[in-house]
Amino acid sequence: MPNYKIDTYLKIIFFISSISIISAFSIEYLLGYQPCNLCLIQRIPYGLSIILIILNFFIKKNTQFIILLLILIFFFSFVISFYHFGIEQSYFEESPVCGVKNASELISKEDILNQLQDKTVNCKDVTFKIFGFSLATINVIISLFLIIMLSKIYKNYEKFKK
């Protein structure tokens, strides 16, 4: 890993997170692919990382703590995307998160029938692929890469700080 300054690495992570969020919204709204509930949850870490990095560039304090938070955020991203990948590959059973939206609010049989008529995307269904990989698979790879990079920065903080 090159010996760039921490700000450079944070800019790279900001760029990766921004591209990930923009791509997800583009695939959904421009290309018309409906995301499943886990796909929506997988966007949260990227949004949080963007917010943290912006705050860090303005405040410029506690950068090491921000890096630790980013490690935890992308660990969460890795776990969720690995779980989603496992559901797609039938390694894991589907979660209630993948089911009917707002099931606790459904009261009558008409509500249930209306909900079933809505086209909710199943977490097991891969509706969009890039180079043969599902977006959950790509997210596993990106999250793992960012965890490793951030861990090296955190471990060698003083070296990258200069």
Side-chain angles (χ1 to χ4, degrees):
M1 193 163 95
N3 288 334
Y4 298 128
K5 286 186 174 186
I6 289 176
D7 282 352
T8 303
Y9 285 111
L10 291 177
K11 287 176 186 175
I12 291 168
I13 295 166
F14 181 83
F15 179 75
I16 291 170
S17 296
S18 298
I19 292 296
S20 297
I21 290 285
I22 291 168
S23 297
F25 283 119
S26 297
I27 290 167
E28 179 179 356
Y29 293 108
L30 296 178
L31 299 179
Y33 289 92
Q34 188 66 28
C36 70
N37 290 340
L38 280 176
C39 291
L40 295 174
I41 292 170
Q42 288 177 89
R43 295 176 186 179
I44 294 170
Y46 293 103
L48 288 174
S49 69
I50 289 169
I51 292 167
L52 279 176
I53 292 169
I54 289 172
L55 285 174
N56 183 65
F57 282 128
F58 286 116
I59 297 171
K60 293 282 187 189
K61 290 187 179 181
N62 299 325
T63 302
Q64 194 170 14
F65 180 69
I66 297 290
I67 292 169
L68 184 61
L69 283 177
L70 288 170
I71 292 169
L72 293 173
I73 286 169
F74 285 111
F75 180 75
F76 170 77
S77 176
F78 175 78
V79 169
I80 294 297
S81 57
F82 184 77
Y83 177 64
H84 193 185
F85 169 78
I87 289 173
E88 291 175 351
Q89 302 300 316
S90 298
Y91 298 140
F92 305 122
E93 292 292 320
E94 286 187 76
S95 163
V97 171
C98 298
V100 178
K101 295 179 181 176
N102 299 325
S104 62
E105 296 175 8
L106 299 177
I107 298 171
S108 68
K109 66 180 180 180
E110 290 82 19
D111 291 338
I112 294 172
L113 288 173
N114 287 336
Q115 183 68 38
L116 290 174
Q117 288 177 353
D118 289 342
K119 293 187 176 185
T120 57
V121 177
N122 192 327
C123 293
K124 189 173 184 141
D125 298 334
V126 178
T127 58
F128 188 82
K129 290 184 177 185
I130 299 174
F131 302 118
F133 296 108
S134 72
L135 296 179
T137 306
I138 293 169
N139 197 18
V140 168
I141 295 166
I142 291 171
S143 297
L144 186 60
F145 169 75
L146 291 176
I147 290 168
I148 292 168
M149 183 172 71
L150 285 162
S151 297
K152 287 183 178 184
I153 294 167
Y154 185 78
K155 181 180 174 189
N156 301 308
Y157 181 77
E158 293 303 320
K159 177 179 160 185
F160 290 112
K161 187 177 174 182
K162 298 176 182 178

